[in-house]
Amino acid sequence: QKEVEQNSGPLSVPEGAIASLNCTYSDRGSQSFFWYRQYSGKSPELIMSIYSNGDKEDGRFTAQLNKASQYVSLLIRDSQPSDSATYLCAVMMNSGYSTLTFGKGTMLLVSP
Amino acid sequence: DVKVTQSSRYLVKRTGEKVFLECVQDMDHENMFWYRQDPGLGLRLIYFSYDVKMKEKGDIPEGYSVSREKKERFSLILESASTNQTSMYLCASSPLLKREQYFGPGTRLTVT
């Protein structure tokens, strides 16, 4: 069974701090990695994609990928209360189709 | 902006009814997906389609069928709704050569 694992949280950080969200995956052949943000009662919203080892930055968000360790992370700098949401890690595994396997998500709580 | 719409935000049906959930995307995407999302179980893929009239089973296809007669429209059908199909149903689409999936707002289905 190909899996994507995330700590369910909640991860609690104070406003202005760096939030670090982690994800591991089982399929070594995976090529594409995504982070989605999901507010309570809403649908997932794509915030970052990463395809190669290293860091990718977009505003306050940085995605980090280490394929050798089968690990992908999301850093949120200067966390805001509006960042409070569940963050889903999604991996496109080596299945031949454009399907994603999702982790169960990490809930982030940013306190003012 | 990618726009994925779903026919209803909330739906209440009785056990045994036939239920149609409709999804429409306006970005000429080749791939379309149906997921359900349940607390503690995360997002699970029901069916997907990579072309008109083409369909593939996802991880949990039992009790569901799909139809894709036009490129922009992907329908999920519950032939005989059961209470264990009470869930949030999410539709997503993606272009053929890109891997990012974009979600619709979701339909919260309650089967009583």
Side-chain angles (χ1 to χ4, degrees), chain A residues 9-28:
Chain A
L11 173 66
S12 296
V13 300
E15 184 174 358
I18 296 175
S20 177
L21 304 159
N22 304 314
C23 172
T24 59
Y25 59 94
S26 62
D27 182 9
R28 186 169 288 278

Side-chain angles (χ1 to χ4, degrees), chain B residues 4-5 23-25 29-35 45 47-51 68 70-75 91-94 101:
Chain B
V4 181
T5 58
C23 175
V24 177
Q25 50 93 4
H29 286 174
E30 284 76 13
N31 301 315
M32 296 188 75
F33 308 84
W34 275 107
Y35 296 89
L45 181 64
Y47 267 98
F48 64 99
S49 168
Y50 53 89
D51 201 354
R68 192 165 181 204
K70 293 185 177 182
K71 189 175 185 179
E72 67 270 17
R73 188 178 297 268
F74 192 34
S75 302
C91 176
S93 72
S94 71
Q101 292 184 17

Side-chain angles (χ1 to χ4, degrees), chain B residues 68-87:
Chain B
R68 192 165 181 204
E69 296 296 319
K70 293 185 177 182
K71 189 175 185 179
E72 67 270 17
R73 188 178 297 268
F74 192 34
S75 302
L76 180 69
I77 303 154
L78 288 66
E79 296 289 343
S80 177
S82 64
T83 54
N84 63 11
Q85 293 178 310
T86 291
S87 186

Side-chain angles (χ1 to χ4, degrees), chain B residues 53-67:
Chain B
K53 297 193 186 294
M54 305 302 290
K55 60 184 179 184
E56 293 288 339
K57 293 180 180 179
D59 299 319
I60 52 163
E62 297 78 17
Y64 303 94
S65 62
V66 291
S67 173

